[in-house]
Amino acid sequence: MFIGHEALAFALVALAAARYGLGRERALALGVAAGLFAAVPDVDMAYAPLGLMTVHSANALAAANAFWGASTEIHRAVTHSLVVAPFAAAIFALAATRDRRGRALAGLGALALVGVVAVLSGPLGAAVTVLYALTGLAIAVFARRRLDLGPRALAATALVGLVTHPFGDLLTGTPPDFLYPLPWRLFAARPRPFVDPTLDLLAAFALELACLWIGVYAYHRVSGIAIRERLHGRAAAGVAYALAALVIAPPTLDVSYPFVFSVVAVGAVGIVEPVERRLPPLADAVVTGLASVTVAGVAYALAYLLL
């Protein structure tokens, strides 16, 4: 999951806000805040580039393995904890208030969180927690100033973003440590829906696409714009990606790069109008590009199953 976390959090909050009559602009503002907070847990990936320093080869696969190997040192622990999430959401909301007492409590809470993580996970965990707190704080300040959200709205949107994020990671890589710092684990290993590792990858890819489409639907639903007005027929060109099943080796979650990068590149058909040779509106490009990637994914899956 990359953008799917943000899209899902945006959709849940924006649709709920619209359902309870908060108005389009307010619903979208709340959704944007939730989507931004949903991106915060992945700041722990900042450590991963250090893994590239251990690579003594120009081989792309070796570099990729070193990158993801380093990411597992601290990834999906404190930042993906359902136990930590409510505490962090309160810190972010309090830190963005104009009340000095609130900011003081937020500071004490952040220091306490970093201290606990330092004891349990060492200096690396503490450093990642500092980055986690600073990123959440920056988003909270932005949401208060630019989106005009108060403390309660900030706390709610932060909680939704932080709590929903870990569940999107279940089908990819190491399962998040949902209950950190408690000694229990909800999942000892990543769920494997299929025996075939390629189908496991395609399932994770389908989940990402589903989250993106939910986000697109929510935006258009709240905005009152029909999705079909953004969708262009050139998205059907994605069906040609079925030929990739004859060219690239069957991808897995361990070796997914040839598939992921190539299928995402299919979305470029949404960027340029083929007749006018100009850039289409951003919304048209996003919807058409996403549709073309979806068609490509389905075409590849069918070709893989039939070959």
Side-chain angles (χ1 to χ4, degrees):
M1 296 281 283
F2 290 97
I3 307 175
H5 297 297
E6 296 83 350
L8 180 60
F10 166 83
L12 291 175
V13 172
L15 289 174
R19 173 68 178 80
Y20 286 98
L22 295 185
R24 291 180 180 177
E25 291 188 5
R26 185 67 172 175
L28 290 174
L30 290 167
V32 168
L36 291 174
F37 281 119
V40 174
D42 279 341
V43 298
D44 57 14
M45 289 293 292
Y47 175 74
L50 295 180
L52 298 177
M53 297 174 63
T54 66
V55 180
H56 303 289
S57 169
N59 184 277
L61 183 58
N65 288 335
F67 178 87
W68 293 112
S71 74
T72 61
E73 291 290 329
I74 195 65
H75 187 43
R76 299 183 178 180
V78 59
T79 60
H80 287 60
S81 171
L82 302 182
V83 177
V84 173
F87 187 61
I91 290 174
F92 299 157
L94 286 172
T97 65
R98 296 181 176 87
D99 180 58
R100 290 186 178 180
R101 290 184 179 180
R103 293 198 298 269
L105 285 174
L108 291 174
L111 289 175
L113 178 60
V114 173
V116 170
V117 174
V119 171
L120 296 175
S121 302
L124 177 58
V128 167
T129 305
V130 169
L131 182 59
Y132 173 74
L134 290 176
T135 304
L137 172 60
I139 291 174
V141 171
F142 169 82
R144 177 176 65 80
R145 293 179 178 177
R146 297 301 180 91
L147 303 178
D148 194 27
L149 300 184
R152 286 186 296 179
L154 288 172
T157 53
L159 185 60
V160 172
L162 298 177
V163 167
T164 57
H165 181 113
F167 293 97
D169 288 332
L170 268 179
L171 296 183
T172 60
T174 305
D177 193 353
F178 287 97
L179 301 180
Y180 179 96
L182 302 178
W184 308 294
R185 294 189 69 91
L186 291 183
F187 296 90
R190 172 176 53 83
R192 299 181 63 89
F194 303 100
V195 176
D196 187 334
T198 296
L199 294 182
D200 284 343
L201 169 66
L202 293 177
F205 183 64
L207 176 62
E208 173 80 359
L209 288 176
C211 290
L212 293 175
W213 277 116
I214 291 171
V216 168
Y217 166 79
Y219 173 79
H220 288 83
R221 175 77 175 182
V222 174
S223 301
I225 303 171
I227 295 180
R228 62 177 177 274
E229 295 180 10
R230 307 292 192 190
L231 184 61
H232 296 273
R234 59 183 180 277
V239 73
Y241 189 77
L243 298 175
L246 302 173
V247 179
I248 64 175
T252 65
L253 285 167
D254 294 324
V255 187
S256 61
Y257 316 105
F259 169 77
V260 172
F261 291 133
S262 59
V263 74
V264 170
V266 175
V269 303
I271 297 177
V272 179
E273 294 279 4
V275 178
E276 293 86 352
R277 300 290 183 181
R278 60 180 177 83
L279 295 178
L282 178 60
D284 291 30
V286 169
V287 174
T288 301
L290 181 59
S292 65
V293 173
T294 303
V295 171
V298 172
Y300 178 89
L302 292 175
Y304 175 78
L305 291 172
L306 294 174
L307 287 177

